[in-house]
Amino acid sequence: MEYVLQSDKLTKIYSQRAAVDEVSITVRKGDIYGFVGKNGAGKTTFIRMILGLAAPTSGSFSLMDGENIARARKKIGSLVESPALYGNMTAEENIRLLCTILGEDKKCVHDILKKVGLADTGRKKARDFSLGMKQRLGIAIALVGDPEFLILDEPINGLDPTGIVEIRELLLDLKNKHGKTVFISSHLIGELEKVATRYGIISNGKLVEELTAEQLEQKCGSRTVLKTDAPEKAAEIVKKLLKTDRVELGDGGTVYISEAVGNIGELTNELFRNDIVVSGISTDEGSAESYFIRKMEEG
C-alpha cells in the first residue's frame, strides 16, 4: 500500500465561506502526518469529511490505495475534538462497552489499555482521570478493532507538559512498535516537530505547503534575511551571484536566502551596483516554529 489517504481539491463551503478550500494532500503508509494550522484554519472540517461526518461541497478523496470507502473507513480509528467517555465507568468498562457495540472480541481490552498506558487504573472512574489520561483513553477507544490508520484531532490540546510527553511517546510507540499510520492535527508546532514524518500546513482553509520532516530540516537551517526596496530584482541577483535557487520573497521587501551567506560585503556591493537599496541584512538560525508561523501568515 502506497497511501492511506489522498485528497484532491477537497472543499467544504459553509454559508458561502470555504472552511476547506481545494485541499490536496497525501498520507503515506507508516507516516505520522502533522496537519498544522491555527484554530479555525479548517483542520477539523477536513477530518470530518474524511470520516463521513460532513459531506464535501466539491473535490474528492480516497482511502487505502482507492479501496471502497465504506470498507476503508472500518480500518480507521479516530478521536475528533473531545473523547466521548462514560465518566461513571472505568477505562476497562469503557473499552468493553465499545467492543460490545461494535461486535469486537473483548480479549483485546487489556492489550489496548496496555498500549496506551492505562492497564493499571483499576476501579478509578474516567471522570476522575487527568486530562492526559482522558486523552489516552480516547486514543484507546480509537484503537478498538485494531485500525491501520488513526486520525487524531488536537490530541495534545490543553495538556500539561507531562501529558504532552505521554501522548508523544504513545504516538511514536503506535507507529514504531505497532505499525500504525497516524494523522494528527494540531497548532502546537513544537510538539508535532518531535513526532511527525510529514506535514501539511493549512491556513484559512487552503493548503499552504506539504513537506517531509527532512525538507523541513533543510528549510530551517541558517538563512540570510535581506531587506531591500526592490525584492524581486534583488532575489534574481542573489540567485545568480550565489548560484542557488533557495531564495524566497517575504513581506515588506524581505528576501529569504535559505543558507548562510559567506561574503555579505560582496553581496551588498553587487546590489548597490544594480541601484538596489539594502536597508537591512542579518543571519537567522531559523526554527520549525518560525517557519510554520511565517507560512501560515503567508496563507
Side-chain angles (χ1 to χ4, degrees):
M1 183 189 297
E2 292 186 6
Y3 70 84
V4 296
L5 167 62
Q6 197 166 56
S7 68
D8 181 19
K9 296 184 178 179
L10 196 61
T11 300
K12 181 64 178 179
I13 297 174
Y14 290 111
S15 302
Q16 299 183 327
R17 174 185 169 274
V20 174
D21 191 357
E22 296 192 345
V23 171
S24 301
I25 67 168
T26 299
V27 181
R28 295 183 172 86
K29 184 176 175 61
D31 276 342
I32 295 182
Y33 190 104
F35 199 42
V36 186
K38 298 177 183 177
N39 291 333
K43 303 186 301 294
T44 299
T45 300
F46 180 87
I47 287 171
R48 290 176 66 83
M49 286 191 284
I50 300 305
L51 296 175
L53 302 175
T57 303
S58 62
S60 62
F61 68 92
S62 57
L63 297 166
M64 311 298 177
D65 270 346
E67 189 174 335
N68 173 272
I69 290 290
R71 284 199 305 270
R73 281 193 176 127
K74 291 179 180 178
K75 300 176 181 179
I76 297 175
S78 63
L79 171 60
V80 182
E81 297 173 329
S82 299
L85 309 176
Y86 291 94
N88 62 336
M89 292 184 177
T90 66
E92 181 177 340
E93 288 168 345
N94 268 276
I95 303 299
R96 282 186 175 277
L97 177 61
L98 185 59
C99 286
T100 299
I101 293 170
L102 298 178
E104 296 289 339
D105 191 339
K106 294 176 186 175
K107 291 179 181 178
C108 69
V109 173
H110 181 75
D111 183 51
I112 289 174
L113 291 174
K114 188 175 179 181
K115 281 179 185 175
V116 301
L118 294 176
D120 299 322
T121 52
R123 302 305 304 167
K124 188 173 185 176
K125 304 296 185 184
R127 62 171 172 258
D128 299 321
F129 283 7
S130 67
L131 185 55
M133 291 172 70
K134 287 178 180 176
Q135 289 295 88
R136 280 190 280 152
L137 182 53
I139 294 172
I141 287 170
L143 288 170
V144 171
D146 195 25
E148 297 177 25
F149 183 28
L150 286 175
I151 297 179
L152 308 175
D153 185 24
E154 297 278 7
I156 53 180
N157 192 24
L159 298 184
D160 60 22
T162 300
I164 289 173
V165 170
E166 290 172 352
I167 298 300
R168 182 204 310 157
E169 291 176 349
L170 172 58
L171 295 177
L172 290 170
D173 194 56
L174 289 171
K175 174 190 182 300
N176 297 329
K177 292 185 180 178
H178 304 285
K180 306 298 183 187
T181 302
V182 183
F183 180 97
I184 172 173
S185 77
S186 184
H187 63 278
L188 299 176
I189 298 158
E191 287 308 313
L192 278 185
E193 186 188 2
K194 296 180 175 101
V195 297
T197 59
R198 190 172 173 85
Y199 302 90
I201 306 172
I202 187 171
S203 178
N204 297 318
K206 286 184 173 292
L207 187 73
V208 178
E209 186 175 18
E210 191 175 40
L211 71 167
T212 65
E214 291 78 13
Q215 289 169 332
L216 176 64
E217 187 176 351
Q218 290 174 2
K219 289 173 181 284
C220 291
S222 295
R223 65 176 182 170
T224 300
V225 183
L226 181 69
K227 294 216 168 188
T228 170
D229 64 338
E232 292 183 5
K233 184 178 178 182
E236 291 306 313
I237 291 170
V238 168
K239 288 178 183 178
K240 289 178 183 177
L241 183 65
L242 301 181
K243 297 182 174 59
T244 181
D245 289 323
R246 299 178 65 189
V247 179
E248 294 181 40
L249 295 176
D251 295 328
T254 303
V255 178
Y256 295 102
I257 309 165
S258 297
E259 54 188 63
V261 177
N263 192 335
I264 289 177
E266 182 185 0
L267 173 60
T268 54
N269 287 337
E270 185 65 22
L271 293 170
F272 285 137
R273 277 196 291 271
N274 284 272
D275 299 319
I276 297 171
V277 176
V278 176
S279 58
I281 188 165
S282 61
T283 299
D284 179 7
E285 289 304 317
S287 70
E289 189 168 25
S290 62
Y291 181 80
F292 281 128
I293 290 171
R294 177 161 57 87
K295 282 295 179 181
M296 286 187 282
E297 287 174 350
E298 287 174 6

